[in-house]
């Protein structure tokens, strides 16, 4: 961000920071992090906060796992709410509900680590570094569940900072700067991009598009991105998308936009969801650009399907036999059989909250999409077999119905699907 | 922001929105604001929030003063914290301080209008429109003090959103787009800019600079801006800056950067201070660009001085007589006399919190500046006489000392000043 | 251009060139221009050419009129073609038409000042400064017709450099940088823009557009710009465009784009015409942006009309009487009479090359436009009365017919006009 | 270029041109190229020229070699100068040297194909496509030497269009758009870049820089680029540059900028040299950015050396024996021997124009560089052995002396070299 590049010489570690500055900034930190945090909360000199923020992050980034656990414990114990003070404040407000008492209460009721993290955010690249810090926190949380209390504060702050009103949707194509494109290679989670040649095949053909959300203070890093192919029809197999010969002509008059991969880039932003929004915004955007588009659909994996099949196989012989006989070369009969089972899986099998078992299904159905079609062997690659027993699903986003579908799903647990899938499940 | 421009056809009211869209969006709102707010808090379909946010703001912006008071009262009464629930939550957390209880408590402890405002922020231009809303709130607050409770929430949200880590410092010069420059004319608060010709004289000469802070979601609107002149010496009169013949050559080798005007642009951001930070960042920036600069100083008004003099005049005859005899043409003797009184005013006269009476002095001294010199008749214009009895003050920012000075001022109420001023005050 | 900004310290005279550099570059030139030009043509060290180019232009720009005449005379006499050498070269080529002989001939046949000017173009801002030089040349040419020989070379070079393949069409609106917008105020040649407030009324309303051509090496300077209003119908009076209340709503569904002002910015580019091209490109551009547009028309002055009327008045009594009785308040009968005369003027009166007398008519008809309507008192302002006896003309650009119309006009001297105008002229 | 993107729907073949437009534009051309060229020269409707230009280039690009030869023959025969007319014009000018006669003569003296090519340049991407056309011309020229006459016109036009006053120097780094970076991989001519990982190692480390020249009408294509490494000393082996571990720290205080690769990108621009200029401009630029830099040097191959050695070996036994014994593992004694021979080669061996035999030496010496050091086995890789018998040479650019050196070299055939090399050659 221009802001920090312009800021203070001692903070500019760019491509070639004069060595004297580099030394100054990177000199051995003599204070403990605990003491630096204390100094920062004491200070109300905003300008010094900036240097302190940098020193804290520098010190933090040199910690090993043990050190990070200590730091998180510090946040947990020393920067929590003061229950007694909070209780007094709520009583005072109850008796005299004026602005001063409200402010006193809301201040007391906010864990002090929120303010600490807000101040740390002043450092150059602060936001990005705090997102990383939360990733470390997840690791520690898995072993020290009490740290979850800290995470509520990270989550609260990130929700405010990454308010979708602040996000920018940007196209990503072959004219995008290389240091951003390489992140696509790193972060692509659904269909691996092996190298730059493959990346180019994803971005350059006239029928391929990619869009990402960016945040102004992490402008070189997509938060989430989605890959789209324009086609003549809803594809039944991911290979139609991934292995189209790039030299062959794209369709002259595509009517479908296929979302074939959506990847979140930062674990540290878990719980701050953008994907929902991005799909609808990209759909809207493409519709404006290519009015001839009629259908917006995904081609998605079914990661819970194989897991469920295996569990069933232990209980039911006919499933076990089916699984034994089934492979990438399965014949039509076998495929039909599996399709019925899959339809049953998606429509009838529910978790404890009466939602479908499949996490991808939950995501798209909650967004208001319609489960359109189940494609047995839609991805017969080893990884497709491993992940979803080869099955791919099309979820269709009908923009005029997503809100209504969403309501039905959320309020009545209704799964919106095509008649064809419903019929299959009824067999 | 690209985000919203790209968003949904129905939300794009650009330079030439097709009439059908315009009509759709601007159609008569049939729901009450209260009901729209209720719908938005009920909804968890994020995409629909966006439309609701736009509808709420549209409806709000058509309200008259009475309507606004009603809306604020709605926020006050219906979107406050639930004291009982909060109390229960704090007790639960006390007994079992786990993450769930903490989250339950912090959620309960946050007035619900904060979430409401966060969702309203999703609308196109939401941030800017909420800043405006707070300006309306100030008007109502002056008559209905209970509304101050709402303002604590606006203030809290704006502090998070306008975290200085998200601000961009940008130079403003004669190559800046016109729609931004015209804001300088509108917002300049210290030395009025009458027209474009005058604006050009402020921005174009080689020795004149201007910088502003911008926020990514209000990118056409400076939040605060500062005007700077490069000179050979600290000016004793504002005329040296404002009325330098623009055709005459700027100094070939300037050593001083003079901050001669700093203006905040949005009343709705009161309490979210940037000016402090901006001055230091601009100073750092200029130092890097022009290493020959040695001194960073303001030339500032003294708005409390005349007020104080008039009060004193009612008590002390010699002050009354001095004021009678004093005008823009006063001789050296009179000026010396007034200078001593001014030094006394700045150094000895304190308010109830043991701080100087002059608000501009408080601002710069708190920032860590040094009161360098008092310039009697530094601004002998009618407005200067009216505002500060003609007096201008130089506050010097020595970047290597601002933190130390700040600490002394904040902790020990010490006024940092030059020996010369101290001597005067001692007379 | 970045190129020169990055070039050599001694050439960068920016907003704040360190004085030492400024002095170096601006030091007294001790060589004569003649000698500098000689050195440059001798040198084949390209890097030194750059400095020499700067020195030549610096020296040139300090010349008074007498000095400029001397310089042009130098170009005329010392940098012409060598007739003898050229004749030998053409003979050699005739005998042996190989590449070497061709090169030798074309080199000899090009006046040497072309190469000199090409090298001068290397200086920072060279192109712009050479355009200015040609403006000086025009002044001298009017008194020293032999200098026209030099102008053929300027014209030849500018035609190559300003090849339309290198021009950029850019929208100009209220978000355009101020230093470019101020040029619109300066260069507007048809309907004066008095100040920034008026400029804003031309650019900001939703139904007003402006486009200009730019050249990469003069990127802050439009070469030509055109102002457009979107309307419901072809306006009969310029006041409908210029004095529409900016607060009133623009038409919701405009069908016409009206080119109401087109201005060339640099006299020094005379003979390198862009206006023709710009109108058609803007029309194409607007059509793509607003497909509902059906009609592209100008509302243009008739600068030759009053002149011709006055000449006629001296010959014909009825014209003299009409002119006496006619003013901005003329009744319908008088207006009808004048309209018939005007139709006659446009369609029947020809110059020696069998073209219409009116220069604006010649421009648009040659471009392939159709003379659509004559508007008596279309501009009843004093300047409109003075310039065109109040008459405004609509020329319609039907993009599907401009080529055909152009051919008819150029090859057969046919004036394309509406039946209505033809009928009037026949009366 | 924005220009053409905005131009006419039928000309926009972008990422996704609606099929109807594509068909329109790509429809079978029914006219012959000869006839299209004829139509274009006849037409003076500039707007139609644009379409004709596109049709001509479209037709041209579908030609096979035979067709291209025919087209070039058309240019040669039908668009040459008319010798008779030219002779008449020169005589008329001799008798009456006025502007009209000069214009008539210069017009006659310019082969008509120049105007034809200027008009073809109006097509979208015209410049780039004409550069390609000249590459085809080179192929035909090698077999049909009479076509060289056409090339003089291409050369003349390109020299005017690519006047260095129009070029932009741009840094190329890891934030440059991918479609530009991939051109570096394609065009790198000196030290092959195998893939994106290697490209990144060239661009991303803090001590590596790359700059290219761009032309406004070919903005996605570098014309020439140079790669630079900042180091502590002049490297004796290219491996120090190419194989520095990218993870290791770059020097904290580099004093040398090493130009280790310079590549021209377009054969079609042969004879329009930029490399000379680029090196000096990059050196100036780096000096301003890193004032601590003292030395600007290349590390260059010696492509003529092996060739010359082999020729000598046939004549002199001791050379033949040396070559037999010499390989990448040669000992000091052998290396010293070869060094002396190399010094002799560079300083004493001349071609028929009394210049050094080595083309790289000629390039840098003509630019005003100093032959600083000969590095035996500076590039012991197979390709280095193959190309230069392993020898690399440092040419130092002392900006304060390049002009003087250049003059000495050009006027007196003096080879500027270090005392050390001179001494070696004297042995």
């Amino acid at each position: 961000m221009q802001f920090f590049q312009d800021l203070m010489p001692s903070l500019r570690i760019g491509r070639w920071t004069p060595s004297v500055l580099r030394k100054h900034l990177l000199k051995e930190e003599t204070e403990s992090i605990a003491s630096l945090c204390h100094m920062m909360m004491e200070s109300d000199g905003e300008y010094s906060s900036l240097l302190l923020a940098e020193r804290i992050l520098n010190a933090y980034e040199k910690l090993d796992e043990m050190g990070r656990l200590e730091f998180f414990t510090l946040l947990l114990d020393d920067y929590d709410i003061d229950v007694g003070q909070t209780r007094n404040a709520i009583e005072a407000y109850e008796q005299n509900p004026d602005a001063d008492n409200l402010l006193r209460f809301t201040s007391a009721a906010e864990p002090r680590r929120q303010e600490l993290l807000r101040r740390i955010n002043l450092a150059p690249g602060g936001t990005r570094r705090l997102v990383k810090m939360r990733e470390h926190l997840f690791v520690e949380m898995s072993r020290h569940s009490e740290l979850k209390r800290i995470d509520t504060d990270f989550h609260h702050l990130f929700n405010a900072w990454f308010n979708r009103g602040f996000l920018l949707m940007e196209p990503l194509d072959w004219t995008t700067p290389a240091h951003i494109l390489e992140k696509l290679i790193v972060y692509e989670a659904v269909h691996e991009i092996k190298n730059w040649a493959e990346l180019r095949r994803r971005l350059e053909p006239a029928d391929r598009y990619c869009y990402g959300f960016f945040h102004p203070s992490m402008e070189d890093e997509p938060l989430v991105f989605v890959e789209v192919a324009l086609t003549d029809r809803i594809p039944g197999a991911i290979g139609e998308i991934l292995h189209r010969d790039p030299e062959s002509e794209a369709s002259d008059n595509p009517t479908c936009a296929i979302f074939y991969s959506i990847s979140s880039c930062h674990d540290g932003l878990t719980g701050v969801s953008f994907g929902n929004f991005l799909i609808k915004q990209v759909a809207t955007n493409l519709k404006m650009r290519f009015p001839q588009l009629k259908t917006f659909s995904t081609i998605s994996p079914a990661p819970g399907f194989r897991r469920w099949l295996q569990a069933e196989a232990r209980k039911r012989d006919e499933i076990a036999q089916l699984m034994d006989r089934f492979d990438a070369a399965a014949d039509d009969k076998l495929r039909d059989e599996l399709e019925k089972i899959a339809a049953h899986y998606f429509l009838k099998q529910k978790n404890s909250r009466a939602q479908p078992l499949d996490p991808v299904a939950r995501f798209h159905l909650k967004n208001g999409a319609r489960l359109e079609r189940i494609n047995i062997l839609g991805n017969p690659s080893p990884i497709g077999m491993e992940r979803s027993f080869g099955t791919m699903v099309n979820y269709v986003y009908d923009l005029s119905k997503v809100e209504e579908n969403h309501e039905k799903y959320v309020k009545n647990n209704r799964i919106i699907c095509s008649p064809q899938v419903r019929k299959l499940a009824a067999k």
Side-chain angles (χ1 to χ4, degrees), chain A:
Chain A
M1 209 150 74
Q2 191 54 22
F3 178 69
F4 285 115
Q5 285 166 10
D6 283 336
L7 196 48
M8 290 194 311
S10 56
L11 290 175
R12 299 190 323 143
I13 297 233
R15 266 166 64 82
W16 197 272
T17 312
S19 57
V20 54
L21 295 181
R22 184 186 296 256
K23 276 171 200 152
H24 173 78
L25 186 50
L26 299 183
K27 75 179 167 193
E28 213 51 50
E29 184 56 63
T30 50
E31 299 282 345
S32 68
I33 288 198
S35 138
L36 289 167
C37 290
H38 182 76
M39 283 159 68
M40 176 129 85
M41 293 301 274
E42 283 300 291
S43 153
D44 68 345
E46 301 182 332
Y47 205 57
S48 61
S49 294
L50 203 147
L51 262 171
L52 281 169
E54 178 61 32
R55 289 170 67 188
I56 289 172
L57 282 173
N58 260 337
Y60 172 81
E61 282 157 6
K62 291 195 187 108
L63 295 178
D64 59 10
E65 219 177 287
M66 182 62 72
R68 289 199 288 262
L69 178 57
E70 246 176 77
F71 175 69
F72 292 137
T73 308
L74 175 79
L75 293 186
L76 187 69
D77 295 340
D78 291 14
Y79 292 90
D80 202 8
I81 51 174
D82 177 329
V83 172
Q85 196 181 344
T86 309
R87 198 204 316 273
N88 294 342
I90 191 72
E91 272 158 23
Y93 180 63
E94 201 167 9
Q95 280 168 18
N96 181 11
D98 68 4
D100 285 347
N101 279 333
L102 179 60
L103 184 58
R104 219 164 283 137
F105 168 68
T106 52
S107 301
E110 186 186 84
R112 288 175 64 234
R113 53 191 163 256
Q114 286 195 21
E115 179 62 18
L116 182 66
L117 294 174
R118 270 194 291 266
R119 293 188 181 192
I120 292 178
N121 189 44
L122 290 174
T127 309
R128 181 188 320 236
R129 293 156 92 182
L130 287 171
V131 168
K132 192 80 199 152
M133 189 185 281
R134 192 176 176 219
E135 292 175 13
H136 296 150
L137 176 59
F138 288 159
V139 175
E140 300 308 316
M141 264 166 64
S142 65
R143 285 178 296 227
H144 306 274
S145 65
E146 70 278 12
L147 294 178
K148 280 182 191 154
R149 271 154 57 201
I150 306 182
D151 190 50
T152 61
D153 296 302
F154 273 96
H155 187 239
H156 181 84
L157 284 176
F158 288 178
N159 248 319
W161 291 349
F162 291 90
N163 184 299
R164 285 176 314 280
F166 298 142
L167 300 189
L168 302 153
M169 189 178 90
E170 298 285 351
L172 294 160
D173 59 35
W174 194 236
T175 71
T176 299
H179 71 298
I180 293 176
L181 287 188
E182 72 175 340
K183 308 248 160 84
L184 300 193
I185 298 181
V186 174
Y187 293 131
E188 160 68 63
V190 185
H191 302 292
E192 190 196 5
I193 301 174
K194 290 199 192 65
N195 50 41
W196 283 83
E198 203 167 311
L199 177 65
R200 186 178 174 164
R201 281 197 296 277
R202 298 269 180 108
L203 298 178
E204 210 188 23
D207 57 353
R208 299 300 159 100
Y209 294 85
C210 181
Y211 291 89
F213 268 147
F214 289 80
H215 187 270
S217 71
M218 288 173 68
E219 57 183 24
D220 293 348
E221 295 266 7
L223 304 180
V224 57
F225 60 91
V226 63
E227 295 165 65
V228 192
L230 304 196
T231 63
D232 290 332
R233 57 199 181 85
I234 300 181
I238 187 65
E240 299 176 34
I241 305 291
L242 292 184
H243 307 127
R244 181 174 76 68
D245 175 7
E247 296 304 311
S248 75
E249 278 287 303
S251 161
D252 254 8
N253 198 16
T255 54
C256 303
I258 307 303
F259 298 83
Y260 67 94
S261 179
I262 178 161
S263 303
S264 291
C265 305
H266 302 281
D267 286 345
L269 290 175
T270 299
V272 189
S273 70
F274 319 107
N276 161 18
F277 219 62
L278 180 60
I279 291 175
K280 290 170 193 166
Q281 190 169 335
V282 169
T284 308
N285 194 284
L286 287 170
K287 177 70 184 171
M288 285 166 58
R289 193 160 163 192
F290 305 117
Q292 74 266 37
L293 294 178
K294 304 287 177 238
T295 307
F296 298 87
S297 172
T298 73
I299 179 159
S300 310
F305 186 40
R306 188 199 185 92
R307 212 159 41 232
W308 174 80
L309 272 180
Q310 285 171 326
E312 288 295 296
R314 283 191 290 274
K315 293 185 268 174
R316 294 159 61 192
D317 260 10
E318 76 272 24
I319 300 282
Q321 282 168 26
L322 177 69
M323 286 190 77
D324 280 350
R325 284 178 302 146
F326 194 87
D327 63 15
D331 63 18
D332 280 1
K333 190 158 161 289
L334 269 176
R335 292 161 77 149
D336 288 351
E337 246 178 278
L338 190 61
E339 195 180 4
K340 270 180 277 182
I341 295 170
H344 174 83
Y345 162 75
F346 280 106
L347 266 56
K348 303 296 168 67
Q349 295 292 320
K350 303 290 172 74
N351 67 12
S352 59
R353 281 170 299 166
Q355 293 168 340
L357 289 183
D358 198 76
V360 172
R362 286 200 301 270
F363 174 75
H364 290 299
L365 292 170
K366 188 173 175 228
N367 292 347
R370 180 176 73 235
L371 198 171
E372 183 69 14
R373 196 170 69 199
I374 296 167
N375 304 285
I376 300 304
L377 289 181
N379 185 1
S381 70
I383 200 164
M385 293 304 290
E386 174 63 31
R387 199 190 274 164
S388 318
F389 213 63
T391 299
M392 299 295 279
V393 181
N394 301 122
Y395 299 95
V396 165
Y397 282 77
D398 178 342
L399 290 180
S400 67
K401 299 219 175 128
V402 287
E403 288 302 331
E404 184 189 329
N405 292 349
H406 164 79
E407 295 292 316
K408 287 182 185 159
Y409 176 81
V410 168
K411 300 211 168 131
N412 315 326
N413 291 321
R414 245 188 85 183
I415 294 177
I416 308 299
C417 71
S418 66
Q420 160 201 15
V421 171
R422 186 158 311 284
K423 217 165 117 190
L424 272 171
K427 283 186 184 171

